[in-house]
Amino acid sequence: MTSILPRGVSDASFNQALSEFRAIVGNSAVLNSDEDRQSYIDPYAMGDGKDHDSSAIIAPASTEEVQAIVRAANKYKVALWPVSRGKNLGYGTASPAEAGNVILDLSRMDKILDVNEKYAHCLLEPGVGFYDLFYHLQEKKLPLWMSVPGNSWGSVIGNALDRGIGYTPYGDHCEQICGMEVVMPDGEVIRTGMGAMANSTTWQNYKYGYGPSWDQMFMQSNFGIVTKAGVWLQPEPEMTAKVDLAFAKFEDAEWAIDILADLRRRDVIQHNIVFGTPVRAASTMSQRADWYEGEGAIPDSVCEEMMKKLGLGWWNARISLHGHEGVVKANADIIRKALEPKMGKELEFQFWAKGEPMEKAAQGVPTTMGLNCVNWYGGRGGHLGFSPVLSADGKIAFDYAKKVKSLYQEVGQDYYASFTIGRRHINNVGLILYDRDDETTLNRAKKLIDMLLKEAASRGFAEYRSHISYMDAIGDTYDYGNHALRRLNNKVKAALDPNNIIAPGRNGIGSRK
Amino acid sequence: MKKKPSFSHMGWMLTPVALIALVAGCSKENSAPVPEAKAQPKISAITTATFGRDSKDEGERLFGKECAFCHVGTSTGSFMLNRRLPDDQKGNADLNKRSDLEADYVKAVARNGLVNMPAFSKIEISDEDLDKIANYLARKKP
Ligand SMILES: Cc1cc2nc3c(=O)[nH]c(=O)nc-3n(C[C@H](O)[C@H](O)[C@H](O)COP(=O)(O)OP(=O)(O)OC[C@H]3O[C@@H](n4cnc5c(N)ncnc54)[C@H](O)[C@@H]3O)c2cc1C
């Protein structure tokens, strides 16, 4: 008894499609009861989440099953929404952009197919989680490290396909993908890069192959379903060092970002740098009511109290260094020279050398501690990510921070941001926290996101990634040449997927209104 | 027919507990706004991330794969639950150490979610595996 149907599909035809799906994957891997669909509703939804309800869930165990499902989906014109582990919390979790899609849950395809110690790469199925890979590397005592996102519950591949970010070297996750296997919308399987040669021995060694390189085409897109991907890992370094930086004043952002971005660009710092506000740090370990129970945005004076108690600054960053001993020590000195005179104190690096207890190492260890932040306002918490891309420039970032903080204040929301600094860009990861059952916080969040969309666009900043409810709105801001890129994407979509059966509306491609 | 889970015995978890005003006891390392002695015992992030994974007990192994990363040590589940525990039980929020968990209750929470905990689908944890996890958590503790 399904209360919602895939778009444009009749009840009878959907029932036939479901029987075919059951014949492919078995009864227990097709779910469509209210109870089961509810377990896929976004736990962070703005409200009850039913506006993104699915019509069913189907969970294949192999590439061949995915192919068969895609063929059946074409026959009945049933749209599929593929997820790897479906833990895209803050961006819609496993829910489809278009209500009524069948969620194609790939989490049963969870094999670690290969790990190569010498080349530091692996070949994974989409259901492999960060925890699974981490445990595998530990268990086999492989000297290979991974980069993990702030919430590591998800899939190594799923996260990379949404261009997720980590905070140690190799943290630009989409850049670590080397070679994919993809089921195309017509059910054919392709392999990208060197994998296009049947007996290739270099699929995970060289990304580009011969002719156009297609890997990026399957990221943040709906042109295919990725069933395997190669991922590069970090060879365990000889030494690491880490240091926490707390910048005392709000205005420090301007010079601090300039210094950190320059060190990042020169690869003295080899990872994306989180540069975050006190509420960002405090929300992972406390609730708002511990600090303030008043209406409106939390006052600066309360933030300053919070900073004092928690040892935070207005901006907080963790820097880690990785490499051979000589390089790590030299880079630590370069950072000291760059920051100490400005900060007016000595930096205390914690060093780790190979062989010492791993707890001291600046290694990426999967964690879900960040999820505490949804409890900031109490109740059934949730959040929405809004993350425009800025140039890696102190003044630009600081001006934007001032404006955004004032917008948060205007609607009465506590300012939460991280300027995640890359070599030439910043991902201004902002979370808008709310209590799902409190209309006031929800309306505030909606109002704020509209304001932020406009503000960012007016400055020439656009989002790096999008929540399912805002995929078209963010697509609209990419408007050069009367949305020439969207028109290209839609042309490709129509050519590859004429029935629009893979993730209609994903990133504004093939949206049906 | 499946029995609808009853939430009546979850009352104490759902009531907002008086918030701990004692923020003063925070040090930089353990900055949870719970007095130092009442915070969760500290274990390494690596232990939390891999708890139970190589256990001989299948229930513990499954608990390790599906639950422990949030519910053992310094992580979200234990952290949030610790805040809700009555004062005399603080520091004992790790699910594997609790002695008041009934198997049906564990199953109901896993399937329906609770406050900030998301629900688990039958694809993620089969009914059979959930039984094993629930029995492991409800086992008699020495
Ligand atoms: C507190 C908090 C902190 C977070 N911190 C971070 C962070 O630091 N960095 C970060 O990157 N994210 C972060 N996230 C967001 C999110 O939780 C992670 O990115 C998570 O890894 C995404 O879930 P997943 O890996 O299961 O991907 P999925 O949900 O499986 O995939 C994401 C999307 O990619 C597409 N997709 C997935 N698999 C396939 C496939 N096989 N074929 C085709 N398309 C596919 C689908 O559109 C899907 O919706 C955070 C979230 C929270 C709540």
Side-chain angles (χ1 to χ4, degrees):
Chain A
M1 42 93 209
T2 292
S3 45
I4 173 169
L5 289 166
R7 198 187 166 94
V9 178
S10 71
D11 211 355
S13 163
F14 186 49
N15 279 329
Q16 271 175 308
L18 286 178
S19 335
E20 267 189 52
F21 290 154
R22 289 196 175 98
I24 298 164
V25 296
N27 285 340
S28 63
V30 178
L31 309 176
N32 73 324
S33 71
D34 289 345
E35 221 173 43
D36 285 324
R37 291 194 340 275
Q38 181 63 38
S39 67
Y40 281 80
I41 293 274
D42 180 8
Y44 288 4
M46 302 178 86
D48 67 10
K50 300 263 206 258
D51 51 338
H52 290 283
D53 195 1
S54 63
S55 54
I57 296 94
I58 172 162
S62 68
T63 301
E64 292 71 26
E65 288 185 2
V66 174
Q67 287 180 273
I69 291 164
V70 166
R71 293 198 172 110
N74 267 299
K75 188 162 137 197
Y76 297 100
K77 305 209 170 25
V78 168
L80 305 168
W81 179 266
V83 296
S84 286
R85 284 182 49 77
K87 305 297 181 194
N88 211 2
L89 299 164
Y91 296 97
T93 312
S95 290
E98 179 188 280
N101 287 182
V102 170
I103 296 173
L104 185 71
D105 179 350
L106 301 169
S107 61
R108 288 176 65 215
M109 296 176 63
D110 61 355
K111 286 194 277 300
I112 297 172
L113 298 163
D114 181 45
V115 181
N116 187 304
E117 183 179 337
K118 177 170 174 185
Y119 301 129
H121 62 51
C122 59
L123 181 65
L124 307 176
E125 288 190 330
V128 175
F130 289 95
Y131 286 102
D132 302 321
L133 183 58
F134 185 78
Y135 174 62
H136 182 89
L137 298 174
Q138 296 270 313
E139 187 200 10
K140 304 273 185 260
K141 301 200 169 28
L142 292 166
L144 299 173
W145 289 7
M146 41 196 287
S147 160
V148 299
N151 161 35
S152 316
W153 197 12
S155 145
V156 179
I157 292 179
N159 177 282
L161 290 178
D162 216 15
R163 301 208 186 94
I165 321 175
Y167 312 99
T168 54
Y170 292 64
D172 289 313
H173 294 156
C174 66
E175 285 178 17
Q176 314 316 327
I177 296 287
C178 182
M180 291 178 174
E181 178 186 272
V182 187
V183 174
M184 298 302 290
D186 61 1
E188 196 176 353
V189 181
I190 61 148
R191 287 187 172 183
T192 65
M194 305 314 279
M197 181 195 210
N199 66 341
S200 170
T201 56
T202 55
W203 193 18
Q204 271 67 65
N205 295 55
Y206 181 72
K207 291 178 186 174
Y208 311 108
Y210 183 65
S213 179
W214 293 118
D215 285 8
Q216 280 294 329
M217 172 172 147
F218 300 106
M219 293 180 188
Q220 292 195 1
S221 91
N222 49 15
F223 298 150
I225 299 163
V226 177
T227 47
K228 290 185 182 70
V231 180
W232 287 352
L233 300 167
Q234 182 193 1
E236 183 178 81
E238 189 178 279
M239 176 170 274
T240 67
K242 55 186 173 190
V243 63
D244 288 324
L245 305 175
F247 299 93
K249 295 201 291 277
F250 194 68
E251 306 80 74
D252 290 344
E254 188 165 339
W255 62 261
I257 288 178
D258 276 334
I259 293 175
L260 292 171
D262 186 63
L263 292 167
R264 171 75 184 110
R265 203 150 40 238
R266 292 169 193 279
D267 275 327
V268 172
I269 299 172
Q270 304 150 305
H271 61 89
N272 301 313
I273 308 157
V274 169
F275 188 82
T277 57
V279 167
R280 180 183 184 279
S283 66
T284 66
M285 48 191 164
S286 59
Q287 277 187 293
R288 182 179 202 264
D290 296 334
W291 310 100
Y292 187 65
E293 295 197 84
E295 298 272 304
I298 201 162
D300 284 359
S301 57
V302 176
C303 282
E304 270 155 22
E305 223 173 279
M306 186 181 330
M307 283 153 53
K308 222 183 283 158
K309 299 233 166 87
L310 299 179
L312 300 168
W314 263 110
W315 300 102
N316 304 283
R318 162 163 287 193
I319 305 294
S320 62
L321 300 169
H322 300 240
H324 287 92
E325 181 177 343
V327 178
V328 169
K329 289 188 169 157
N331 282 337
D333 284 341
I334 293 170
I335 292 171
R336 281 196 181 103
K337 275 199 200 101
L339 287 173
E340 283 178 353
K342 286 286 222 176
M343 297 184 76
K345 61 176 171 221
E346 275 184 32
L347 300 185
E348 286 169 38
F349 283 91
Q350 184 182 36
F351 289 89
W352 166 88
K354 207 171 176 128
E356 289 188 278
M358 292 306 291
E359 281 68 34
K360 274 171 65 188
Q363 178 193 19
V365 178
T367 176
T368 55
M369 195 62 190
L371 299 184
N372 258 310
C373 72
V374 297
N375 202 21
W376 184 244
Y377 287 105
R380 282 198 309 157
H383 78 67
L384 197 120
F386 181 82
S387 314
V389 176
L390 282 54
S391 303
D393 175 85
K395 180 160 172 25
I396 290 175
F398 179 54
D399 284 348
Y400 185 63
K402 272 189 297 193
K403 179 67 192 181
V404 169
K405 185 161 175 271
S406 77
L407 295 178
Y408 271 66
Q409 248 148 9
E410 192 181 321
V411 301
Q413 178 85 14
D414 302 336
Y415 181 51
Y416 178 124
S418 160
F419 287 83
T420 303
I421 306 167
R423 287 188 187 83
R424 290 170 182 78
H425 77 284
I426 289 172
N427 288 113
N428 179 209
V429 179
L431 298 194
I432 305 172
L433 302 164
Y434 45 81
D435 172 348
R436 288 184 63 189
D437 303 309
D438 177 351
E439 280 296 320
T440 320
T441 68
L442 284 177
N443 290 336
R444 194 164 72 200
K446 285 179 193 155
K447 191 165 155 201
L448 182 57
I449 191 148
D450 288 340
M451 290 161 92
L452 291 173
L453 253 163
K454 282 204 197 86
E455 184 59 40
S458 76
R459 290 172 189 243
F461 311 151
E463 276 60 50
Y464 94 101
R465 182 176 181 181
S466 154
H467 185 277
I468 50 170
S469 295
Y470 291 91
M471 288 190 158
D472 286 326
I474 288 168
D476 284 345
T477 66
Y478 284 82
D479 58 359
Y480 170 79
N482 188 23
H483 299 96
L485 185 68
R486 179 157 68 200
R487 283 184 284 118
L488 170 66
N489 286 337
N490 282 335
K491 256 186 245 172
V492 174
K493 180 71 175 164
L496 295 177
D497 187 6
N499 293 324
N500 211 350
I501 57 134
I502 300 182
R506 166 71 152 130
N507 283 56
I509 308 168
S511 304
R512 306 186 277 204
K513 287 202 190 91
Chain B
M1 268 296 282
K2 251 189 230 94
K3 224 178 87 213
K4 277 261 169 218
S6 142
F7 283 90
S8 56
H9 54 303
M10 296 183 191
W12 68 269
M13 295 183 78
L14 291 166
T15 348
V17 174
L19 289 155
I20 304 121
L22 225 177
V23 182
C26 302
S27 74
K28 204 177 165 194
E29 290 72 43
N30 192 348
S31 35
V34 168
E36 198 85 11
K38 291 181 174 176
Q40 282 290 107
K42 263 216 138 180
I43 63 168
S44 90
I46 298 177
T47 310
T48 293
T50 56
F51 180 91
R53 280 284 184 133
D54 47 12
S55 171
K56 289 198 178 59
D57 176 341
E58 196 186 0
E60 184 167 69
R61 207 160 61 234
L62 287 164
F63 170 76
K65 185 170 189 308
E66 307 291 351
C67 326
F69 54 86
C70 266
H71 282 293
V72 170
T74 319
S75 198
T76 304
S78 288
F79 190 87
M80 287 189 186
L81 286 173
N82 199 44
R83 294 185 63 107
R84 294 168 202 274
L85 285 177
D87 253 8
D88 60 338
Q89 287 177 39
K90 288 229 187 286
N92 297 313
D94 287 357
L95 294 190
N96 58 316
K97 293 190 204 131
R98 292 256 300 263
S99 48
D100 58 341
L101 294 173
E102 287 169 27
D104 283 346
Y105 173 74
V106 171
K107 287 190 262 187
V109 172
R111 287 287 179 235
N112 296 282
L114 185 63
V115 199
N116 287 306
M117 178 177 141
F120 282 74
S121 76
K122 286 184 195 134
I123 301 298
E124 188 155 21
I125 310 181
S126 66
D127 281 336
E128 203 188 345
D129 284 353
L130 185 54
D131 275 343
K132 289 173 188 159
I133 294 173
N135 290 336
Y136 161 74
L137 290 176
R139 76 199 184 283
K140 290 269 166 295
K141 314 282 183 305

